[in-house]
Amino acid sequence: MAEQTPPRTYETPPTERPITEAEAARSAGLAHNEHLKIASGYLRGTLADGLLKHATGAISEDDGQLVKFHGMYMQDDRDIRAERTKKKLEKAFSFMIRLRIAGGVVTPKQWLALDKIATTYAGGALRATTRQTFQYHGVIKSNLKRTMAAIDATLLDTIAACGDVNRNVMAATNPAQVGAHKAAYQLGKDISDSLLPKTSAWREIWLDGERVVGGEEEAEVEPVYGKTYLPRKFKTVIAVPPSNEVDIFAHDLGFIAILDDKNEVTGWNVTVGGGMGMTHGETDTFPRTADVMCFVEPEDALKTAEAVMTVQRDWGNRKVRKNARLKYTIERYGLAAFRAEVEKRVGKPLADPKPFTFTNNGDRYGWTEGDDGRHHLTLYIPSGRIKDIDGGPQLLTGLRRIAEIHEGDFRLTGNQNVIIANVPAEKRAEIEALVDQYGLQKGASALRRNSMACVALPTCGLALAESERYLPDLMTELETSLASHGLQDDEITIRMTGCPNGCARPYIAEIGLVGRGPERYHLYLGAAFDGSRLGKLYGEDVTASEIKTILDPLFAAYAKNKQPGERFGDYLIRDGYVTKTINGPDFHDKIGPLKSAA
């Protein structure tokens, strides 16, 4: 008789709203960021004064936390940090600015304006992120207000693109399902608008807007968030099967479209409790795939989104920040209790989830005709970096030329690629000619098509190892290995990050590499091709030069022994090379190779 798993024991959820008074927060031992938020005057802090301090390119440490809510991170160029320190110079500080673009859709006019901002203030590059939006890098402090004013002029903003709030909402981009895409985009935009912080601090600080008299004292200035906002970041995505290109299981809250036989949305399965980040060496932190909690009718989706977020607002851990995400809240109190509280706040019982199937979490490259007769072209953008490459694709110039004549829209994908969408049949040849002229890529090798990397060095202050700059070279090595085993056309997901925060979602890639130090990585294997299962730590502190050596015999075994249609991650589990990860809590159990691949 099989051994029975003992039932889980969960804690009793809290019944009070979060503490918002400074003295009470100190007495309760809340995390430092909670005190910052309470004292910030709804995200103002001393940011306005700090921008006037021209003797430094930095802002204060506390303002560095608050500015995230405004869509920014302060960074410095780590490639020249040592040299500047030797010369007793301040670090080369600059800012990363992330836009809020629900569903990743922009007009050609907006594209051209964002391009101009990139060439004026951000080193001639736009970066499409894994959050289906744009980032600018290298904006110096003296140009921040000019950059923000230029972004505002495009009718876009950066509010809540970072910070302890509902961040940029991702939505399915599959252009072949026009009606479903429209429904997914609209739900994403509605959630983004509904859960947006109401403080006027962004406009006051960056656009010299008028301050609402007594605004920071108004108890209702943040009717949903309150003074302390959320315990940690909160990420929402909308998926349309069979494609899971938004990686729905990697996020706090998700909506999976349930379609009828005409591809129309009849409602949404709701997922909760996914998240990628962890801390090396601390097993009480772990990535987690989301649970499919319930099914909601279309008219209840927005209310359900707010209910899920407010339960996390009230139940999330505000004492230990590393355990503050929704994934830990559900592990602490249980899915059943969480669902019951969501139903209470929605005001009705919610139905159980309905069947659905995902087949992959990648993009469709090349031309696709939608069911409305309009055409869509997905371009491969290596690591999302939109710039002109010497001797290679002229991505920035080429897309600028396309934006000048395009009549549809542009869509960013969760895989850092760009879709030239809604092209009338008669304009397709003109677009195609520009794609060819500027060497834009309508695809790449099977491995590169399913790759992602975070920015990492030199700008990200959290990076322990290279990612974006190294992954292309590694893929060249691995492509040689795959081809030697006849696997050059096999689709395998590979993702790399410079630190364990997991911005490129490596833990749900069939080959996941997470930075540990200079040229050292943890290697994770055994995740599912559709993004529904976490990988398992296979190799610890693997040097860059060892990665191919470790993977080559596994590729050989896969080529020899795989079953028809079997994916690489599934094969490694079936043939006993790595343990299957069920979910977050067992992520750190039974790690390492189960048998030799030599």
Side-chain angles (χ1 to χ4, degrees), residues 31-111:
H32 176 66
N33 286 57
E34 297 301 303
H35 304 292
L36 282 182
K37 289 179 281 188
I38 291 169
S40 72
Y42 295 104
L43 309 181
R44 291 173 176 85
T46 58
L47 277 169
D49 293 336
L51 292 175
L52 300 176
K53 294 179 179 178
H54 303 303
T56 174
I59 56 177
S60 73
E61 185 176 341
D62 284 353
D63 282 345
Q65 293 297 319
L66 290 177
V67 83
K68 296 176 185 179
F69 292 81
H70 298 254
M72 287 180 238
Y73 282 80
M74 186 172 71
Q75 302 178 332
D76 75 285
D77 188 338
R78 293 170 62 182
D79 281 351
I80 59 174
R81 184 187 285 181
E83 177 188 348
R84 291 181 68 86
T85 300
K86 186 177 180 181
K87 294 179 179 179
K88 298 183 179 181
L89 296 172
E90 182 179 66
K91 294 175 183 177
F93 289 111
S94 65
F95 290 78
M96 180 275 282
I97 301 177
R98 184 181 298 152
L99 278 71
R100 181 178 66 98
I101 310 174
V105 177
V106 296
T107 66
K109 183 178 179 181
Q110 287 173 322
W111 185 285

Coordinates of all heavy atoms in Angstrom, one line a residue, residues 31-111:
A31 N 8.4 45.0 8.2 CA 9.6 45.2 7.4 C 9.9 46.6 7.1 O 9.0 47.5 7.1 CB 9.5 44.4 6.1
H32 N 11.1 47.0 6.9 CA 11.5 48.4 6.7 C 10.7 49.1 5.6 O 10.3 50.2 5.7 CB 13.0 48.4 6.3 CG 13.5 49.8 6.0 ND1 13.6 50.8 6.9 CD2 14.0 50.4 4.8 CE1 14.0 51.9 6.4 NE2 14.3 51.7 5.1
N33 N 10.4 48.3 4.5 CA 9.7 49.0 3.4 C 8.3 49.4 3.8 O 7.7 50.3 3.2 CB 9.6 48.0 2.2 CG 10.9 47.9 1.5 OD1 12.0 47.6 2.1 ND2 10.9 48.2 0.2
E34 N 7.7 48.7 4.8 CA 6.4 49.1 5.3 C 6.4 50.5 5.9 O 5.6 51.3 5.7 CB 5.9 48.0 6.3 CG 5.6 46.7 5.6 CD 4.7 46.7 4.5 OE1 3.5 47.1 4.7 OE2 5.1 46.3 3.4
H35 N 7.5 50.7 6.7 CA 7.6 52.0 7.3 C 7.9 53.1 6.3 O 7.3 54.2 6.4 CB 8.8 52.0 8.3 CG 8.7 51.0 9.4 ND1 7.8 51.0 10.4 CD2 9.5 49.8 9.6 CE1 7.9 49.9 11.1 NE2 8.9 49.2 10.7
L36 N 8.6 52.8 5.2 CA 8.9 53.8 4.2 C 7.5 54.2 3.5 O 7.3 55.3 3.2 CB 9.8 53.1 3.1 CG 11.3 53.1 3.3 CD1 12.0 52.5 2.1 CD2 11.8 54.5 3.6
K37 N 6.7 53.2 3.2 CA 5.4 53.5 2.5 C 4.5 54.3 3.4 O 3.9 55.2 2.9 CB 4.8 52.1 2.1 CG 5.5 51.4 1.0 CD 4.8 50.1 0.6 CE 5.1 49.0 1.5 NZ 4.6 47.7 1.0
I38 N 4.5 54.0 4.7 CA 3.6 54.7 5.6 C 4.0 56.2 5.7 O 3.2 57.1 5.7 CB 3.6 54.1 7.0 CG1 2.9 52.7 7.0 CG2 3.0 55.0 8.1 CD1 3.1 51.9 8.3
A39 N 5.3 56.4 5.7 CA 5.9 57.8 5.9 C 6.0 58.5 4.5 O 6.4 59.7 4.6 CB 7.2 57.7 6.6
S40 N 5.7 57.9 3.4 CA 6.0 58.5 2.1 C 5.1 59.5 1.6 O 5.3 60.2 0.6 CB 6.1 57.4 1.1 OG 4.8 56.9 0.8
G41 N 3.9 59.7 2.3 CA 2.9 60.6 1.8 C 2.4 60.1 0.4 O 2.3 60.8 -0.5
Y42 N 2.0 58.8 0.4 CA 1.6 58.2 -0.8 C 2.6 58.3 -2.0 O 2.3 58.9 -3.0 CB 0.2 58.7 -1.2 CG -0.9 58.4 -0.2 CD1 -1.4 59.3 0.7 CD2 -1.4 57.1 -0.1 CE1 -2.3 59.0 1.6 CE2 -2.3 56.7 0.8 CZ -2.8 57.7 1.7 OH -3.7 57.4 2.7
L43 N 3.8 57.8 -1.7 CA 4.8 57.6 -2.7 C 5.6 58.8 -3.1 O 6.3 58.9 -4.1 CB 4.3 56.9 -3.9 CG 3.4 55.6 -3.7 CD1 3.0 55.0 -5.0 CD2 4.2 54.6 -2.9
R44 N 5.5 59.9 -2.2 CA 6.2 61.1 -2.6 C 7.6 61.1 -2.0 O 8.6 61.4 -2.7 CB 5.4 62.3 -2.0 CG 4.2 62.6 -2.8 CD 3.3 63.7 -2.2 NE 2.1 64.0 -3.0 CZ 1.0 63.3 -2.9 NH1 0.9 62.3 -2.1 NH2 0.0 63.6 -3.7
G45 N 7.7 60.7 -0.7 CA 9.0 60.7 -0.1 C 9.7 62.1 -0.2 O 9.1 63.1 -0.2
T46 N 11.0 62.0 -0.5 CA 11.8 63.2 -0.7 C 12.3 63.3 -2.2 O 13.3 63.9 -2.5 CB 13.0 63.4 0.2 OG1 13.8 62.2 0.1 CG2 12.5 63.5 1.7
L47 N 11.5 62.6 -3.1 CA 11.9 62.5 -4.5 C 12.1 63.8 -5.1 O 13.0 64.1 -5.8 CB 10.9 61.6 -5.2 CG 11.1 60.1 -5.1 CD1 9.9 59.4 -5.7 CD2 12.4 59.7 -5.8
A48 N 11.1 64.7 -4.9 CA 11.1 66.0 -5.6 C 12.4 66.8 -5.2 O 13.0 67.4 -6.0 CB 9.9 66.8 -5.2
D49 N 12.7 66.8 -3.9 CA 13.9 67.5 -3.5 C 15.2 66.8 -4.0 O 16.2 67.4 -4.4 CB 14.0 67.5 -1.9 CG 12.9 68.4 -1.3 OD1 12.4 69.3 -2.1 OD2 12.5 68.2 -0.2
G50 N 15.2 65.4 -4.0 CA 16.4 64.7 -4.4 C 16.7 65.0 -5.9 O 17.9 65.0 -6.2
L51 N 15.7 65.2 -6.7 CA 16.0 65.5 -8.1 C 16.8 66.9 -8.3 O 17.4 67.1 -9.3 CB 14.7 65.6 -8.9 CG 14.0 64.2 -9.0 CD1 12.6 64.4 -9.7 CD2 14.8 63.2 -9.8
L52 N 16.7 67.7 -7.3 CA 17.3 69.0 -7.4 C 18.8 69.0 -6.9 O 19.5 70.0 -7.0 CB 16.5 70.1 -6.6 CG 15.1 70.3 -7.0 CD1 14.4 71.2 -6.0 CD2 15.0 70.8 -8.4
K53 N 19.2 67.9 -6.4 CA 20.6 67.8 -5.8 C 21.5 67.4 -7.0 O 21.7 66.2 -7.3 CB 20.6 66.8 -4.7 CG 19.8 67.2 -3.5 CD 19.9 66.2 -2.3 CE 19.1 66.7 -1.1 NZ 19.1 65.7 0.0
H54 N 22.1 68.4 -7.6 CA 22.8 68.1 -8.8 C 24.3 67.7 -8.6 O 25.0 67.3 -9.5 CB 22.9 69.4 -9.7 CG 21.5 69.9 -10.0 ND1 20.6 69.2 -10.7 CD2 20.9 71.1 -9.8 CE1 19.5 69.9 -10.9 NE2 19.7 71.1 -10.3
A55 N 24.7 67.7 -7.3 CA 26.1 67.2 -7.0 C 26.2 65.7 -7.1 O 27.4 65.2 -7.1 CB 26.4 67.7 -5.6
T56 N 25.1 65.0 -7.2 CA 25.2 63.6 -7.3 C 24.2 63.1 -8.4 O 23.1 63.7 -8.6 CB 24.8 62.9 -5.9 OG1 24.8 61.5 -6.1 CG2 23.5 63.4 -5.4
G57 N 24.6 62.0 -9.0 CA 23.7 61.4 -10.0 C 22.8 60.4 -9.4 O 22.0 59.7 -10.1
A58 N 22.8 60.3 -8.0 CA 22.0 59.3 -7.3 C 20.8 59.9 -6.6 O 20.7 61.2 -6.6 CB 22.9 58.5 -6.3
I59 N 20.0 59.1 -6.0 CA 19.0 59.6 -5.0 C 19.2 58.8 -3.7 O 20.0 57.9 -3.7 CB 17.6 59.4 -5.6 CG1 17.3 57.9 -5.9 CG2 17.3 60.3 -6.8 CD1 15.9 57.7 -6.4
S60 N 18.5 59.2 -2.7 CA 18.7 58.5 -1.4 C 18.3 57.1 -1.5 O 17.5 56.7 -2.3 CB 18.0 59.3 -0.3 OG 16.6 59.0 -0.4
E61 N 18.8 56.3 -0.5 CA 18.4 54.9 -0.5 C 16.9 54.6 -0.3 O 16.3 53.8 -1.0 CB 19.2 54.2 0.6 CG 19.0 52.7 0.7 CD 19.9 52.0 1.7 OE1 20.8 52.6 2.2 OE2 19.6 50.8 2.1
D62 N 16.3 55.4 0.6 CA 14.9 55.3 0.8 C 14.1 55.7 -0.5 O 13.1 55.0 -0.9 CB 14.4 56.1 2.0 CG 14.8 55.4 3.3 OD1 15.3 54.3 3.3 OD2 14.6 56.1 4.4
D63 N 14.5 56.8 -1.1 CA 13.8 57.2 -2.3 C 14.1 56.2 -3.4 O 13.2 56.0 -4.3 CB 14.3 58.6 -2.8 CG 13.7 59.7 -2.0 OD1 12.7 59.4 -1.3 OD2 14.2 60.8 -2.0
G64 N 15.2 55.5 -3.4 CA 15.4 54.4 -4.3 C 14.4 53.3 -4.3 O 14.2 52.6 -5.3
Q65 N 13.9 53.1 -3.1 CA 12.8 52.1 -2.9 C 11.4 52.7 -3.4 O 10.7 52.0 -4.2 CB 12.6 51.7 -1.5 CG 13.8 50.9 -0.9 CD 14.0 49.6 -1.6 OE1 13.0 48.9 -1.9 NE2 15.2 49.2 -1.9
L66 N 11.2 53.9 -3.1 CA 9.9 54.5 -3.5 C 9.8 54.8 -5.0 O 8.7 54.7 -5.6 CB 9.7 55.9 -2.8 CG 9.4 55.8 -1.3 CD1 9.4 57.2 -0.7 CD2 8.2 55.0 -1.0
V67 N 11.0 55.1 -5.6 CA 10.9 55.4 -7.1 C 10.5 54.2 -7.9 O 10.1 54.4 -9.0 CB 12.3 56.0 -7.5 CG1 13.3 54.9 -7.8 CG2 12.1 56.9 -8.7
K68 N 10.6 53.0 -7.3 CA 10.1 51.8 -8.1 C 8.7 51.9 -8.4 O 8.2 51.5 -9.4 CB 10.4 50.6 -7.2 CG 11.9 50.3 -7.0 CD 12.1 49.1 -6.1 CE 13.6 48.9 -5.8 NZ 13.8 47.7 -4.9
F69 N 7.9 52.5 -7.4 CA 6.5 52.6 -7.7 C 6.2 53.6 -8.8 O 5.1 53.5 -9.4 CB 5.8 53.2 -6.4 CG 5.7 52.2 -5.3 CD1 6.8 52.1 -4.4 CD2 4.6 51.5 -5.0 CE1 6.8 51.2 -3.3 CE2 4.6 50.6 -3.9 CZ 5.7 50.5 -3.1
H70 N 7.1 54.4 -9.2 CA 7.0 55.3 -10.3 C 7.6 54.7 -11.6 O 7.6 55.4 -12.6 CB 7.8 56.6 -10.0 CG 7.2 57.4 -8.8 ND1 6.5 58.5 -8.9 CD2 7.3 57.1 -7.4 CE1 6.2 58.9 -7.7 NE2 6.6 58.1 -6.8
G71 N 8.0 53.5 -11.5 CA 8.5 52.7 -12.7 C 9.9 52.8 -12.9 O 10.4 52.6 -14.1
M72 N 10.7 53.0 -11.9 CA 12.2 53.2 -12.1 C 13.0 52.4 -11.1 O 12.6 52.1 -10.0 CB 12.6 54.7 -11.9 CG 12.2 55.6 -13.0 SD 12.7 57.2 -12.6 CE 11.1 58.1 -12.6
Y73 N 14.2 52.0 -11.5 CA 15.2 51.5 -10.6 C 16.5 52.3 -10.8 O 16.9 52.6 -12.0 CB 15.6 50.0 -11.0 CG 14.6 49.0 -10.4 CD1 13.4 48.8 -11.1 CD2 14.8 48.3 -9.3 CE1 12.5 47.8 -10.7 CE2 13.9 47.3 -8.8 CZ 12.8 47.1 -9.5 OH 11.9 46.2 -9.1
M74 N 17.1 52.7 -9.7 CA 18.5 53.3 -9.9 C 19.5 52.3 -10.1 O 19.5 51.2 -9.3 CB 18.8 54.2 -8.6 CG 20.1 55.0 -8.8 SD 20.3 56.1 -7.4 CE 20.7 55.0 -6.1
Q75 N 20.4 52.5 -11.0 CA 21.5 51.5 -11.3 C 22.8 52.2 -11.6 O 22.8 53.4 -11.5 CB 21.1 50.7 -12.6 CG 19.7 50.0 -12.5 CD 19.3 49.2 -13.7 OE1 19.7 49.6 -14.8 NE2 18.5 48.2 -13.5
D76 N 23.8 51.4 -11.8 CA 25.1 52.1 -12.2 C 25.8 51.1 -13.2 O 25.5 49.9 -13.2 CB 26.0 52.4 -11.0 CG 26.7 51.2 -10.4 OD1 26.0 50.5 -9.7 OD2 27.9 51.0 -10.6
D77 N 26.7 51.6 -13.9 CA 27.4 50.8 -14.9 C 28.5 50.0 -14.2 O 29.6 50.6 -13.8 CB 28.0 51.7 -16.0 CG 28.6 50.9 -17.2 OD1 29.0 49.7 -16.9 OD2 28.8 51.4 -18.3
R78 N 28.3 48.7 -14.0 CA 29.3 48.0 -13.2 C 30.5 47.6 -14.0 O 31.5 47.2 -13.4 CB 28.6 46.7 -12.7 CG 27.5 47.1 -11.7 CD 26.6 45.9 -11.3 NE 27.3 44.8 -10.7 CZ 26.8 43.7 -10.3 NH1 25.5 43.5 -10.5 NH2 27.5 42.7 -9.7
D79 N 30.5 47.8 -15.3 CA 31.7 47.5 -16.1 C 32.8 48.6 -15.7 O 34.0 48.3 -15.9 CB 31.4 47.6 -17.6 CG 30.7 46.4 -18.1 OD1 30.7 45.4 -17.4 OD2 30.3 46.4 -19.3
I80 N 32.4 49.7 -15.3 CA 33.4 50.8 -15.0 C 33.4 51.2 -13.6 O 34.0 52.2 -13.2 CB 33.1 52.0 -15.9 CG1 31.8 52.6 -15.7 CG2 33.3 51.7 -17.4 CD1 31.5 53.9 -16.4
R81 N 32.7 50.4 -12.7 CA 32.6 50.7 -11.3 C 34.0 50.7 -10.6 O 34.4 51.7 -9.9 CB 31.7 49.7 -10.6 CG 31.5 50.1 -9.1 CD 30.7 49.0 -8.4 NE 29.3 49.0 -8.8 CZ 28.4 48.1 -8.3 NH1 28.8 47.2 -7.4 NH2 27.1 48.2 -8.6
A82 N 34.8 49.7 -10.9 CA 36.1 49.6 -10.2 C 37.0 50.8 -10.7 O 37.7 51.3 -9.9 CB 36.7 48.3 -10.6
E83 N 37.0 51.1 -12.0 CA 37.8 52.2 -12.5 C 37.4 53.5 -11.8 O 38.3 54.3 -11.4 CB 37.6 52.2 -14.0 CG 38.4 53.4 -14.6 CD 38.1 53.5 -16.1 OE1 37.4 52.6 -16.7 OE2 38.5 54.6 -16.7
R84 N 36.1 53.7 -11.7 CA 35.7 55.0 -11.1 C 36.0 55.1 -9.6 O 36.4 56.1 -9.1 CB 34.2 55.2 -11.3 CG 33.9 55.5 -12.8 CD 32.4 55.7 -13.0 NE 31.9 56.9 -12.4 CZ 31.9 58.1 -13.0 NH1 32.5 58.2 -14.2 NH2 31.5 59.2 -12.4
T85 N 35.9 53.9 -8.9 CA 36.3 53.9 -7.5 C 37.8 54.2 -7.3 O 38.2 54.9 -6.4 CB 35.9 52.5 -6.9 OG1 34.5 52.2 -7.1 CG2 36.3 52.4 -5.5
K86 N 38.6 53.6 -8.2 CA 40.0 53.9 -8.2 C 40.3 55.3 -8.3 O 41.3 55.9 -7.7 CB 40.7 53.0 -9.3 CG 42.2 53.1 -9.2 CD 42.8 52.2 -10.3 CE 44.3 52.2 -10.3 NZ 44.9 51.3 -11.4
K87 N 39.6 56.0 -9.2 CA 39.8 57.4 -9.4 C 39.0 58.3 -8.4 O 39.0 59.5 -8.6 CB 39.3 57.8 -10.8 CG 40.2 57.1 -11.9 CD 39.7 57.5 -13.3 CE 40.6 56.9 -14.4 NZ 40.1 57.2 -15.8
K88 N 38.4 57.6 -7.4 CA 37.6 58.3 -6.4 C 36.5 59.1 -7.0 O 36.2 60.2 -6.5 CB 38.5 59.2 -5.5 CG 39.6 58.4 -4.8 CD 40.5 59.3 -3.9 CE 41.5 58.5 -3.2 NZ 42.4 59.3 -2.3
L89 N 35.9 58.6 -8.0 CA 34.7 59.2 -8.6 C 33.4 58.4 -8.2 O 33.5 57.2 -7.8 CB 34.8 59.1 -10.1 CG 35.9 59.8 -10.8 CD1 36.0 59.5 -12.3 CD2 35.7 61.3 -10.6
E90 N 32.3 59.1 -8.2 CA 31.0 58.5 -7.9 C 30.7 57.4 -8.9 O 31.2 57.5 -10.1 CB 29.9 59.6 -7.9 CG 28.6 59.0 -7.5 CD 27.5 60.1 -7.5 OE1 27.2 60.7 -8.6 OE2 27.0 60.5 -6.4
K91 N 30.0 56.4 -8.5 CA 29.6 55.4 -9.5 C 28.8 56.1 -10.6 O 28.2 57.2 -10.5 CB 28.6 54.4 -8.8 CG 29.3 53.5 -7.8 CD 28.2 52.7 -7.1 CE 28.8 51.8 -6.0 NZ 27.8 51.1 -5.3
A92 N 28.8 55.5 -11.8 CA 28.2 56.0 -13.0 C 26.7 55.7 -12.9 O 26.1 54.8 -13.6 CB 28.8 55.4 -14.3
F93 N 26.0 56.5 -12.1 CA 24.6 56.2 -11.8 C 23.7 56.6 -13.0 O 23.9 57.5 -13.7 CB 24.1 57.0 -10.6 CG 24.6 56.5 -9.3 CD1 25.5 57.2 -8.6 CD2 24.2 55.3 -8.8 CE1 26.0 56.8 -7.4 CE2 24.7 54.8 -7.6 CZ 25.6 55.6 -6.9
S94 N 22.7 55.8 -13.2 CA 21.6 56.1 -14.2 C 20.4 55.4 -13.7 O 20.4 54.7 -12.7 CB 22.0 55.7 -15.6 OG 22.2 54.3 -15.7
F95 N 19.3 55.5 -14.5 CA 18.0 54.9 -14.1 C 17.5 54.0 -15.3 O 17.6 54.4 -16.5 CB 17.0 56.0 -13.8 CG 17.3 56.7 -12.5 CD1 18.3 57.7 -12.5 CD2 16.7 56.4 -11.3 CE1 18.6 58.3 -11.3 CE2 17.0 57.0 -10.1 CZ 18.0 58.0 -10.1
M96 N 16.9 52.9 -14.9 CA 16.1 52.1 -15.8 C 14.7 52.6 -15.6 O 14.2 52.7 -14.5 CB 16.2 50.6 -15.4 CG 15.4 49.7 -16.4 SD 13.7 49.5 -15.9 CE 13.8 48.4 -14.5
I97 N 14.0 52.8 -16.7 CA 12.6 53.3 -16.7 C 11.7 52.2 -17.4 O 12.0 51.9 -18.6 CB 12.4 54.6 -17.3 CG1 13.3 55.7 -16.6 CG2 10.9 55.0 -17.3 CD1 13.2 57.1 -17.2
R98 N 10.7 51.7 -16.7 CA 9.8 50.7 -17.3 C 8.4 51.3 -17.5 O 7.9 52.0 -16.7 CB 9.7 49.5 -16.4 CG 8.9 48.4 -17.0 CD 8.8 47.2 -16.0 NE 10.2 46.7 -15.7 CZ 10.5 46.1 -14.6 NH1 9.7 46.0 -13.6 NH2 11.7 45.6 -14.5
L99 N 7.9 51.1 -18.7 CA 6.6 51.7 -19.0 C 5.4 50.7 -18.6 O 5.6 49.5 -18.5 CB 6.4 52.0 -20.5 CG 7.0 53.3 -21.0 CD1 8.6 53.2 -21.0 CD2 6.6 53.6 -22.4
R100 N 4.3 51.3 -18.4 CA 3.1 50.5 -18.2 C 2.3 50.5 -19.5 O 1.8 51.5 -19.9 CB 2.2 51.1 -17.0 CG 0.9 50.4 -16.7 CD 0.2 51.0 -15.6 NE -0.3 52.3 -15.9 CZ -1.5 52.6 -16.3 NH1 -2.4 51.6 -16.4 NH2 -1.9 53.8 -16.6
I101 N 2.2 49.3 -20.1 CA 1.5 49.2 -21.4 C 0.7 47.9 -21.3 O 1.2 46.8 -21.6 CB 2.5 49.1 -22.6 CG1 3.5 50.2 -22.6 CG2 1.7 49.1 -23.9 CD1 4.6 50.1 -23.6
A102 N -0.5 47.9 -20.8 CA -1.3 46.7 -20.6 C -1.5 46.0 -21.9 O -1.8 46.6 -22.9 CB -2.7 47.1 -20.0
G103 N -1.2 44.7 -21.9 CA -1.3 43.9 -23.1 C -0.2 44.1 -24.1 O -0.2 43.5 -25.2
G104 N 0.7 45.1 -23.9 CA 1.8 45.3 -24.8 C 1.5 45.9 -26.1 O 2.2 45.7 -27.1
V105 N 0.3 46.6 -26.2 CA -0.1 47.1 -27.5 C 0.2 48.6 -27.6 O -0.2 49.4 -26.7 CB -1.6 46.9 -27.7 CG1 -2.1 47.5 -29.1 CG2 -1.9 45.4 -27.7
V106 N 0.9 49.1 -28.7 CA 1.1 50.5 -28.9 C 0.8 50.8 -30.4 O 0.9 49.9 -31.3 CB 2.6 50.9 -28.6 CG1 2.9 50.7 -27.2 CG2 3.6 50.1 -29.5
T107 N 0.5 52.0 -30.7 CA 0.2 52.5 -32.0 C 1.5 52.8 -32.7 O 2.5 53.0 -32.1 CB -0.7 53.7 -32.0 OG1 0.0 54.8 -31.4 CG2 -2.0 53.5 -31.2
P108 N 1.5 52.9 -34.1 CA 2.7 53.3 -34.8 C 3.2 54.7 -34.3 O 4.4 55.0 -34.2 CB 2.3 53.3 -36.2 CG 1.2 52.3 -36.3 CD 0.5 52.4 -35.0
K109 N 2.3 55.6 -34.0 CA 2.6 57.0 -33.6 C 3.3 56.9 -32.2 O 4.4 57.5 -32.0 CB 1.4 57.8 -33.4 CG 1.7 59.3 -33.0 CD 0.4 60.1 -33.0 CE 0.7 61.6 -32.6 NZ -0.6 62.4 -32.5
Q110 N 2.8 56.0 -31.3 CA 3.5 55.9 -30.0 C 4.9 55.2 -30.2 O 5.8 55.6 -29.6 CB 2.6 55.0 -29.1 CG 1.4 55.7 -28.6 CD 0.5 54.8 -27.8 OE1 0.3 53.6 -28.2 NE2 -0.1 55.3 -26.7
W111 N 5.0 54.2 -31.1 CA 6.3 53.6 -31.4 C 7.3 54.6 -31.8 O 8.4 54.6 -31.3 CB 6.1 52.5 -32.5 CG 7.4 51.8 -32.7 CD1 8.5 52.2 -33.3 CD2 7.7 50.4 -32.2 NE1 9.5 51.2 -33.3 CE2 9.0 50.1 -32.6 CE3 6.9 49.5 -31.5 CZ2 9.6 48.9 -32.3 CZ3 7.5 48.3 -31.2 CH2 8.9 48.0 -31.6

